[in-house]
Amino acid sequence: MFTRSLLLRPQALRSPQSFRLPPTLAQLIQNAPADTAEATTVHGWIKSIRKQKNVAFAVITDGSSDCGLQAVLVKDKSKDSEDLMRRLTNGAAVRLTGQLVASPGQGQSHELVVESGTKDSIVILGDCDPQHYPIQKKLLSNEYLRDNLHLRARTSSIAAMLRLRHTLTRNINHFFDSQAFHLVHTPIITSSDAEGAGEAFRIAPFASSAHPAASSPSPSPTTMQEFFNRPAHLTVSHQLHLEALSTALNRVYTLSPCFRAEPSLTSRHLAEFWMLEAEWAFIHTGADVNQICDFVEALLRSVVTPLLAHPSPPSPSSDSTSTPHPDLQTLWAANPSRHALLQKAFLTDTHKWWPRLTYTQAIDELTKASSPSRSSSPSTTPVQFTYKPEWGKPLQSEHERWLAEELIGGPVFITDYPASLKPFYMRANDGPASGTEEKGETVACFDLLVPHVGELAGGSVREERWEVLHSKLVQAGMVPSSPSPSSSSSPSSSSLT
Amino acid sequence: MFTRSLLLRPQALRSPQSFRLPPTLAQLIQNAPADTAEATTVHGWIKSIRKQKNVAFAVITDGSSDCGLQAVLVKDKSKDSEDLMRRLTNGAAVRLTGQLVASPGQGQSHELVVESGTKDSIVILGDCDPQHYPIQKKLLSNEYLRDNLHLRARTSSIAAMLRLRHTLTRNINHFFDSQAFHLVHTPIITSSDAEGAGEAFRIAPFASSAHPAASSPSPSPTTMQEFFNRPAHLTVSHQLHLEALSTALNRVYTLSPCFRAEPSLTSRHLAEFWMLEAEWAFIHTGADVNQICDFVEALLRSVVTPLLAHPSPPSPSSDSTSTPHPDLQTLWAANPSRHALLQKAFLTDTHKWWPRLTYTQAIDELTKASSPSRSSSPSTTPVQFTYKPEWGKPLQSEHERWLAEELIGGPVFITDYPASLKPFYMRANDGPASGTEEKGETVACFDLLVPHVGELAGGSVREERWEVLHSKLVQAGMVPSSPSPSSSSSPSSSSLT
């Protein structure tokens, strides 16, 4: 019944285990031999082309790295070749076959020499009309690129950003793997509200008689129906689900989309963004918020440092020193000061931990710096803050900036904020914060402040004491005051978001 | 101005580079020395406990692996110890300190011997009232567990599934990394509809006068406002965005949530699910859909095979053969037949590719099997199908099941479906499908059918010829028939979703 010959695949030469896609341009250049007699075929888009009388120089890219491959296209006198040459424009997709040779030019190790007269040496896979092609060599504004979304990743800067995001994600996953965490995916559509972290988007109810996805402007209220039988929202944070999972799997994290319906047009407010969140149980004896700070710092260093100290490709003109990742250099071309700051924070004193201040100490420093009478160094001009630093009040952006950029000049953890400024589930400190006089109740939490960024991460030890949690819920009027025993155990745990 | 002493952290003994969280139970057991005089401290939840007169046996888990650690709790005569023992119940969170020794019992390499009288040898971090604790040792139904969502990951099967999902995700990322793909995140909230892949959820407009997230049942139509100034939906597929990105970065993939508002309660319809999608440009010369099948098969083998052939921990009683991952064994305990099937598909003939049939060949096989007169082996009973197999009609679930489960007995690729059954963007085959008579126009696509699963993956070569695409759009009445040149180039590309 079953015809075996149907299943033969003569073209299958490699085994499933050794499958590899053909090399990308980045791989080809990295592994290119010094010289070879074999013809090399490459695929890509023309990023730029400069035509001379007998030769044309084209930079070919396939998106695999920031540096393309220079192709030297040697012209032929034939009419066909002339036509072909005319069709070689910015943005055209091509297949080129030629000799990969060591480049005599600067800034590239290899170039591809293509004889245009040879059969199939130049194949145009997709023409590109330069009159209508929006991606030009000059610097294009972000606004202009937003109107050409489908092609904007063909610019060096957007492509560099996308590749960096990929690398950062990979480094994040590697770090959590090394610490025995499990990556989990928790629900996006939810009926729970995570501690009012922000306004939630609502899934629209639909008119039961109509098409569920129909966007009729005003369905009659009598036919409105919820898809899930009750109002559903997009999650603003995965924290609640992670907390539940960490009481079973212990170390869990997620890198997932979150949604906040905040009608605010600033660089710090996005309707949709991906957030890294983690929770783990069992902080060891004598634990405090510093253990979480250690974790966050180790995470960030393991993610960022390899990008700053990227091994350079071996070349005769340079030592094998490390330089920033080429994609970072592309992004920094317009902003070298950030480069210097990141290098200072990550590459100097790598054996030392980043500074940490309690909130109380931070308020003291801010107060000293802004009031001349209390300044420790009378020669210093007092700092002018719009908001007076005051214990019990939130740190304003100007305070956070001053702490990270002026006082420390790098990343700084601020710990042990007043309980009144933080949510109920953060663990109340037993005594006054270390090294300071008693100022009232504080909680075991941190914010990580970074120059030019502001708050990059935050987290806390979770309150695990049932009586403390219960009394807070009673205070908030969320449960009646008669106690009933908890049905599940929650050991002291910690998290960062 | 800046007080250096504030920044000293006497507890920071390790450097940021060498940071490690304490070992999990899984790591502790894996790296445990044969015998040690040092006391070992573990944290976890009591999964089960059996109390005898002078000793209690507790299985402790911290979620890091399927196998917990057995703790032998040696009782003390004191009143305190009695009280402590009473509080050791299923679900309680504990810290235990004792001697980790080679276990004389079956099924475990080590056990922890704890003397209950010693100070701090048993610390209860969280009590658990057995009367109210829903997770018991007996098998609990999925329905019951759904009513106890926050604790269901404490069951062996749910925890095993979550850990497996983590491992699968990691293996997927490793494979795409090895093939020089970039992981990208494309928008979830969108105004575009991906080829009508399913009904889309709509973001609710809000009443401009009210709170944006307020769920008032029937806001007056005059005040209704879109958050993004036009109707917004949740994405049903990331394909369109990936296609655009692949014309710049070439190899891109995403593992992201997708949403479909299909009011259908089957195991194949979820309102929210994570989907793996990939696109890449530049299929090499002579390319056909088989190159994509090669890729998909290599991907699945690299992701699944390590789970099936998991290196066993060394033990005196067994050779160092490989066995399925312990979490797979947990899930398979109730369903051994799937185990055998997966092993057959992945571990036998590992140098051979999975069978591939064109749609035309599949229809022939289905027809032969169901009609006695045309059957090649007269002794075989014809297969009874509810739907008659017919060229040009979709393959029904019963047909797909028969092909994968009966004809092949493992995964099978069905390629080159009729164009009428597939979306417009799949590449039209130039000639008749190989090895069969001409049956009409087919497209270079595939579905991967897997026993007990059905269609696990699908994909196609994308139509890159501008004239072909344009004439299809004209046919569909989506553009006027006068041609205008394309402004961007699209080389032949491929994808799987």
Side-chain angles (χ1 to χ4, degrees):
Chain A
M1 179 175 80
F2 166 51
T3 320
R4 178 144 294 274
S5 67
L6 293 179
L7 308 178
L8 289 178
R9 293 183 50 246
Q11 71 273 41
L13 299 172
R14 292 170 299 186
S15 82
Q17 275 74 23
S18 63
F19 174 84
R20 277 285 173 280
L21 284 180
T24 61
L25 277 183
Q27 291 171 330
L28 196 70
I29 294 169
Q30 200 172 10
N31 302 320
D35 64 332
T36 170
E38 277 177 50
T40 302
T41 297
V42 304
H43 294 76
W45 298 274
I46 297 177
K47 197 164 179 180
S48 65
I49 186 160
R50 189 161 46 90
K51 295 176 186 173
Q52 295 182 354
K53 191 157 182 279
N54 300 315
V55 73
F57 299 95
V59 176
I60 311 295
T61 179
D62 68 350
S64 55
S65 81
D66 185 55
C67 36
L69 174 69
Q70 172 156 296
V72 182
L73 308 166
V74 183
K75 286 191 193 173
D76 185 53
K77 295 276 180 270
S78 70
K79 179 78 179 61
D80 284 0
S81 182
E82 278 297 313
D83 284 351
L84 205 60
M85 280 291 171
R86 224 188 335 271
R87 288 168 64 199
L88 294 176
T89 61
N90 279 7
V94 292
R95 179 169 65 233
L96 303 177
T97 304
Q99 300 295 123
L100 194 63
V101 300
S103 173
Q106 288 284 316
Q108 63 209 11
S109 62
H110 291 78
E111 63 186 24
L112 189 75
V113 179
V114 181
E115 304 286 341
S116 72
T118 319
K119 185 180 181 315
D120 287 343
S121 62
I122 301 178
V123 176
I124 294 181
L125 302 170
D127 284 294
C128 185
D129 181 350
Q131 297 294 313
H132 293 88
Y133 187 61
I135 307 302
Q136 303 300 332
K137 218 184 166 183
K138 63 179 180 181
L139 198 68
L140 303 166
S141 73
N142 287 337
E143 291 70 25
Y144 177 81
L145 290 175
R146 256 204 85 76
D147 290 333
N148 294 279
L149 273 185
H150 64 301
L151 287 170
R152 70 173 169 174
R154 287 199 180 185
T155 62
S156 296
S157 57
I158 301 280
M161 222 180 292
L162 287 165
R163 282 191 299 264
L164 277 177
R165 189 179 162 116
H166 160 79
T167 307
L168 290 170
T169 306
R170 185 178 58 187
N171 292 0
I172 287 169
N173 286 330
H174 283 185
F175 180 80
F176 277 98
D177 235 23
S178 76
Q179 306 290 336
F181 274 72
H182 288 110
L183 172 63
V184 293
H185 294 135
T186 69
I188 312 279
I189 298 178
T190 179
S191 58
S192 77
D193 175 24
E195 51 134 335
E199 302 299 343
F201 283 105
R202 170 121 151 66
I203 304 282
F206 57 92
S208 60
S209 56
H211 208 253
S215 54
S216 51
S218 61
S220 140
T222 52
T223 64
M224 293 300 272
Q225 247 190 358
E226 297 292 346
F227 187 87
F228 299 99
N229 294 325
R230 57 181 156 168
H233 295 83
L234 299 185
T235 194
V236 297
S237 157
H238 298 270
Q239 180 184 331
L240 275 177
H241 289 98
L242 289 178
E243 284 180 3
L245 287 172
S246 83
T247 70
L249 292 177
N250 186 352
R251 301 178 190 174
V252 289
Y253 78 107
T254 195
L255 183 57
S256 275
C258 295
F259 303 86
R260 297 191 183 171
E262 284 158 13
S264 174
L265 288 172
T266 78
S267 62
R268 293 166 154 260
H269 290 86
L270 284 170
E272 174 178 340
F273 60 97
W274 286 64
M275 181 156 63
L276 178 66
E277 296 175 273
E279 298 274 341
W280 64 98
F282 306 120
I283 292 221
H284 278 225
T285 327
D288 63 356
V289 71
N290 275 309
Q291 285 197 12
I292 315 178
C293 296
D294 288 356
F295 183 90
V296 171
E297 180 170 346
L299 163 67
L300 284 171
R301 284 180 179 272
S302 81
V303 166
V304 175
T305 307
L307 290 170
L308 291 172
H310 192 69
S312 301
S315 99
S317 63
S318 75
D319 295 330
S320 64
T321 53
S322 61
T323 54
H325 192 285
D327 288 326
L328 266 189
Q329 294 183 39
T330 301
L331 291 179
W332 279 336
N335 199 338
S337 70
R338 295 215 177 172
H339 178 175
L341 228 141
L342 266 174
Q343 285 206 308
K344 177 165 180 258
F346 282 89
L347 298 183
T348 52
D349 288 345
T350 51
H351 59 287
K352 275 194 200 154
W353 295 84
W354 291 332
R356 298 175 195 186
L357 298 174
T358 64
Y359 167 88
T360 304
Q361 289 166 334
I363 290 289
D364 282 353
E365 294 288 340
L366 288 161
T367 307
K368 265 192 281 179
S370 57
S371 52
S373 59
R374 292 184 57 196
S375 172
S376 55
S377 149
S379 62
T380 317
T381 321
V383 185
Q384 299 290 327
F385 291 124
T386 310
Y387 296 88
K388 186 167 175 274
E390 200 176 329
W391 204 98
K393 294 244 171 99
L395 294 182
Q396 300 292 331
S397 293
E398 59 176 349
H399 303 150
E400 296 185 343
R401 263 203 311 278
W402 182 82
L403 290 166
E405 292 169 21
E406 303 299 323
L407 181 71
I408 306 292
V412 55
F413 288 95
I414 310 293
T415 65
D416 303 285
Y417 283 69
S420 59
L421 298 177
K422 294 289 179 182
F424 74 96
Y425 54 73
M426 294 190 171
R427 194 181 200 280
N429 284 322
D430 294 323
S434 61
T436 60
E437 54 178 325
E438 169 98 49
K439 277 278 179 57
E441 195 191 72
T442 59
V443 289
C445 69
F446 78 92
D447 280 358
L448 172 62
L449 307 182
V450 173
H452 291 303
V453 175
E455 185 195 330
L456 183 65
S460 80
V461 181
R462 304 307 192 206
E463 183 60 77
E464 90 283 8
R465 292 161 298 184
W466 188 81
E467 332 75 66
V468 179
L469 277 173
H470 187 261
S471 76
K472 290 206 176 185
L473 291 174
V474 170
Q475 267 179 2
M478 293 174 77
V479 293
S481 57
S482 66
S484 76
S486 160
S487 73
S488 78
S489 52
S490 47
S492 71
S493 64
S494 59
S495 99
L496 67 110
T497 57
Chain B
M1 178 175 81
F2 166 52
T3 319
R4 180 144 289 275
S5 68
L6 293 179
L7 309 178
L8 290 178
R9 297 183 46 247
Q11 72 272 44
L13 299 172
R14 293 170 300 185
S15 83
Q17 275 73 23
S18 63
F19 175 84
R20 278 285 173 279
L21 284 180
T24 61
L25 277 183
Q27 291 171 330
L28 196 70
I29 295 169
Q30 201 173 8
N31 302 320
D35 63 335
T36 171
E38 277 177 48
T40 301
T41 297
V42 303
H43 295 77
W45 298 275
I46 297 178
K47 196 163 180 181
S48 65
I49 187 161
R50 189 159 48 89
K51 295 176 185 173
Q52 295 183 351
K53 192 156 182 280
N54 299 315
V55 73
F57 299 94
V59 175
I60 311 295
T61 180
D62 67 352
S64 55
S65 81
D66 185 56
C67 36
L69 174 68
Q70 171 156 295
V72 183
L73 308 164
V74 184
K75 287 190 193 176
D76 185 55
K77 296 275 180 268
S78 70
K79 179 73 178 63
D80 284 358
S81 181
E82 277 297 311
D83 283 352
L84 204 60
M85 281 290 171
R86 219 183 346 266
R87 288 168 63 197
L88 294 176
T89 62
N90 280 6
V94 293
R95 179 167 66 233
L96 303 177
T97 303
Q99 300 295 121
L100 193 63
V101 298
S103 173
Q106 290 283 316
Q108 65 208 13
S109 61
H110 289 79
E111 62 185 27
L112 189 76
V113 179
V114 180
E115 304 285 341
S116 71
T118 319
K119 185 177 180 314
D120 287 341
S121 62
I122 302 177
V123 177
I124 294 181
L125 303 170
D127 284 293
C128 184
D129 181 350
Q131 296 293 312
H132 292 88
Y133 186 60
I135 308 300
Q136 302 300 331
K137 217 184 168 182
K138 63 178 179 182
L139 198 68
L140 303 166
S141 74
N142 286 338
E143 291 70 26
Y144 176 82
L145 289 175
R146 256 205 84 78
D147 291 333
N148 294 280
L149 273 184
H150 65 300
L151 286 170
R152 70 174 170 174
R154 288 200 178 185
T155 62
S156 295
S157 57
I158 301 281
M161 221 178 295
L162 288 165
R163 282 190 300 262
L164 277 177
R165 190 180 162 113
H166 160 79
T167 307
L168 291 170
T169 306
R170 186 178 58 187
N171 291 359
I172 287 170
N173 286 330
H174 283 186
F175 180 79
F176 277 98
D177 234 22
S178 76
Q179 307 289 337
F181 274 71
H182 288 110
L183 173 62
V184 294
H185 294 134
T186 69
I188 312 279
I189 298 178
T190 179
S191 59
S192 76
D193 175 24
E195 52 133 339
E199 301 300 341
F201 283 104
R202 169 123 153 63
I203 303 284
F206 58 91
S208 60
S209 55
H211 206 256
S215 55
S216 52
S218 61
S220 143
T222 53
T223 64
M224 293 299 274
Q225 248 192 358
E226 297 292 345
F227 187 87
F228 299 100
N229 294 326
R230 56 183 156 167
H233 295 85
L234 299 185
T235 194
V236 296
S237 158
H238 298 271
Q239 181 183 330
L240 276 176
H241 289 97
L242 289 178
E243 283 179 4
L245 288 172
S246 83
T247 72
L249 292 178
N250 186 353
R251 302 178 190 175
V252 290
Y253 77 106
T254 194
L255 184 57
S256 276
C258 294
F259 303 86
R260 299 193 181 169
E262 284 159 14
S264 174
L265 287 170
T266 77
S267 62
R268 292 163 154 262
H269 291 86
L270 285 170
E272 172 179 341
F273 59 98
W274 286 63
M275 182 155 64
L276 178 66
E277 294 175 276
E279 298 274 341
W280 64 100
F282 306 119
I283 291 219
H284 277 227
T285 328
D288 62 356
V289 70
N290 275 309
Q291 286 197 11
I292 316 177
C293 296
D294 288 357
F295 182 90
V296 171
E297 180 170 346
L299 163 67
L300 285 171
R301 284 180 180 272
S302 83
V303 166
V304 174
T305 307
L307 291 169
L308 291 173
H310 192 70
S312 301
S315 97
S317 63
S318 75
D319 294 331
S320 64
T321 54
S322 60
T323 54
H325 192 285
D327 288 326
L328 267 189
Q329 295 184 39
T330 302
L331 291 179
W332 280 338
N335 199 337
S337 70
R338 297 216 176 172
H339 177 177
L341 228 141
L342 266 174
Q343 284 205 309
K344 178 166 178 261
F346 281 88
L347 298 183
T348 53
D349 289 344
T350 50
H351 59 288
K352 276 194 199 152
W353 294 84
W354 291 333
R356 297 172 196 188
L357 298 174
T358 65
Y359 168 87
T360 306
Q361 290 168 332
I363 291 289
D364 282 353
E365 294 288 339
L366 288 161
T367 308
K368 266 191 280 178
S370 56
S371 53
S373 58
R374 294 184 56 194
S375 172
S376 56
S377 151
S379 62
T380 317
T381 321
V383 185
Q384 301 290 328
F385 290 125
T386 310
Y387 296 89
K388 187 168 173 273
E390 201 176 328
W391 203 97
K393 295 245 171 99
L395 294 181
Q396 301 290 331
S397 293
E398 58 176 350
H399 303 150
E400 297 185 343
R401 263 203 310 278
W402 182 82
L403 289 166
E405 292 169 21
E406 302 300 322
L407 182 71
I408 305 294
V412 56
F413 288 95
I414 310 293
T415 65
D416 303 286
Y417 282 69
S420 60
L421 297 177
K422 294 289 179 181
F424 75 97
Y425 53 73
M426 294 189 171
R427 194 183 200 279
N429 284 321
D430 294 322
S434 61
T436 61
E437 54 178 326
E438 168 97 50
K439 279 277 180 56
E441 197 190 70
T442 58
V443 289
C445 69
F446 78 92
D447 280 358
L448 172 62
L449 308 182
V450 174
H452 291 303
V453 175
E455 184 196 330
L456 183 65
S460 81
V461 182
R462 303 307 193 209
E463 184 59 76
E464 90 284 9
R465 292 161 297 185
W466 187 80
E467 330 76 64
V468 180
L469 277 173
H470 187 260
S471 75
K472 291 205 178 190
L473 291 174
V474 171
Q475 268 180 0
M478 294 175 77
V479 293
S481 56
S482 65
S484 77
S486 161
S487 72
S488 78
S489 53
S490 48
S492 71
S493 65
S494 59
S495 97
L496 67 109
T497 56

